[in-house]
Amino acid sequence: MCLSEPQAGSSLSDIATRAVFEGQSVLGSRYRLTGSKMGISGG
């Protein structure tokens, strides 16, 4: 898995990004994402 955030490193239990359901639109379900990501090389 290539999941990481600046404060979490490789610990998946420390990932803090969240997706909150905001409702439906003509394009489908809508979610608000909060958090940050970090680039990974050689994953």
Side-chain angles (χ1 to χ4, degrees), residues 7 11 16-17 20 28 31-35 38:
Q7 81 288 349
S11 174
T17 296
V20 178
Y31 292 84
R32 180 171 305 268
L33 302 176
T34 57
M38 176 172 83

Side-chain angles (χ1 to χ4, degrees), residues 5-43:
E5 294 178 352
Q7 81 288 349
S10 61
S11 174
L12 293 179
S13 65
D14 291 333
I15 290 201
T17 296
R18 299 286 179 249
V20 178
F21 181 70
E22 289 202 330
Q24 295 287 90
S25 73
V26 294
L27 298 176
S29 299
R30 293 178 51 179
Y31 292 84
R32 180 171 305 268
L33 302 176
T34 57
S36 60
K37 290 293 173 199
M38 176 172 83
I40 301 173
S41 62

